[in-house]
Amino acid sequence: MDSDRSLVDAAAAGDRDAFDELVRRYRVQILSLARALLANSLDADDIAQEVFVRVWRSVRGFRGETTFKVWLHRVAVNLIYSQRRRLWREHRVFISAHTDEDLSQAERAASAENLEADVTLRLAIDRALAQIPIDLRTAVVLRDVQGLEYKEIAETLGIPIGTVESRIFRGRQRLRPLLRPLYGRRRASRQARRPAG
Amino acid sequence: MLSCEEAARSLLYAADDVTLLDAAARAALNDHMSHCAECRRELRDQAAVATVLRTRPPDVPSLEFSAALRARLDDTNGWLSLADWRRWTVRLLPAACILVLAAFVAPSHTSVRPGSALRDAPVISGSEASEAILWDFGAPPDAVVEAMLTGPQPQGTGQ
């Protein structure tokens, strides 16, 4: 049962308030997806907005063959892939990970406040993600960051569920050495945040 | 007992949440794990990576993001009404009806006017003209093709 269905139906009939509610439900997820897959590129925010604009334009044609969440993620992934190809063609510069200088700057700032700690953690994770191939990255992000089910990921990407499993397995293997130092730091950060007594 | 390859799929799900496996799959995986240190390490690593990724703090949209998105959606509203073919179809319906009526009525106004030289011309229907050309074995091929494609040949004025 698609919990968004009634809102989607209302939005398809032109109800802008219903669509705004859908935006409120998913804007954090879509922004996170864009930033995680585009390595926090400046274009990520623009792409996240464009996802909702495209969906608003075409919501009338949504047939309900999948859930709204899957459809939204499919639109988002397609737009993000297009953007990566465009950037690659125009600038001949791969959307790269943040440099070590960026991270160390962020790391220094992060020791002060939890907010900065979150930013640091996010930057570090995105930096690791940017170092693995995009197909593995997409599958891992959809599963572990976005929390989609395996079946939903298969529907989003239009690939068999076995391929999804394989990509997630290999993606995590590639991420293991990149995230291992972070894992210890995350635990330490959690302990430091715990109120004393 | 499962091979390492066969165990990999169960291992992946177990790293996410062991309850995703049914009892039989869980028992088979446990049996394999009890003998395979490599798969035990793989399970631990897969789970560790998944755990770190799940702790990635969400990106909370800024006020600027929300305002910009709202503005873009508002713009799209205007664009949508222009592109709404259903609305345009309804609005253009009267004009479409007039055009259809005009198309039916128009041939009667283009008939031969009284006093025209055409009035005295021998009447040859379009089909007769086409047929004449088709039976004329000396007719150039272009004229035959044209007769087939365009129907009646232009007739002389009779003068």
Side-chain angles (χ1 to χ4, degrees), chain A residues 3 6 30 50 56 73 105 143-144 158 185 187 190:
Chain A
S3 59
S6 58
I30 296 303
E50 184 62 21
W56 174 233
H73 275 82
Q105 273 182 351
R143 174 65 193 153
D144 292 333
R185 193 165 58 191
R187 273 192 302 199
R190 267 194 204 146

Side-chain angles (χ1 to χ4, degrees), chain B residues 126 130 133 142-154:
Chain B
S130 302
I133 286 183
D142 288 346
V144 175
V145 171
E146 193 177 347
M148 291 170 72
L149 293 176
T150 61
Q153 285 291 298

Side-chain angles (χ1 to χ4, degrees), chain A residues 120-138:
Chain A
T120 306
L121 178 65
R122 196 161 48 221
L123 282 176
I125 289 174
D126 292 351
R127 189 176 75 138
L129 285 168
Q131 292 179 59
I132 67 171
I134 186 68
D135 55 342
L136 304 185
R137 190 192 321 169
T138 305

Side-chain angles (χ1 to χ4, degrees), chain A residues 61-127:
Chain A
F62 177 61
R63 301 271 171 259
E65 286 147 0
T66 63
T67 61
F68 176 75
K69 183 168 81 169
V70 165
W71 185 55
L72 178 67
H73 275 82
R74 191 182 296 161
V75 172
V77 168
N78 287 339
L79 263 176
I80 290 164
Y81 278 23
S82 302
Q83 178 71 356
R84 288 185 79 254
R85 281 193 293 271
R86 192 181 67 76
L87 287 174
W88 177 252
R89 273 199 310 272
E90 287 181 1
H91 307 300
R92 295 280 168 200
V93 175
F94 188 70
I95 303 161
S96 63
H98 294 271
T99 62
D100 286 341
E101 294 79 48
D102 292 338
L103 186 64
S104 58
Q105 273 182 351
E107 278 174 336
R108 281 196 295 275
S111 60
E113 297 290 339
N114 284 343
L115 182 63
E116 280 106 351
D118 278 355
V119 172
T120 306
L121 178 65
R122 196 161 48 221
L123 282 176
I125 289 174
D126 292 351
R127 189 176 75 138

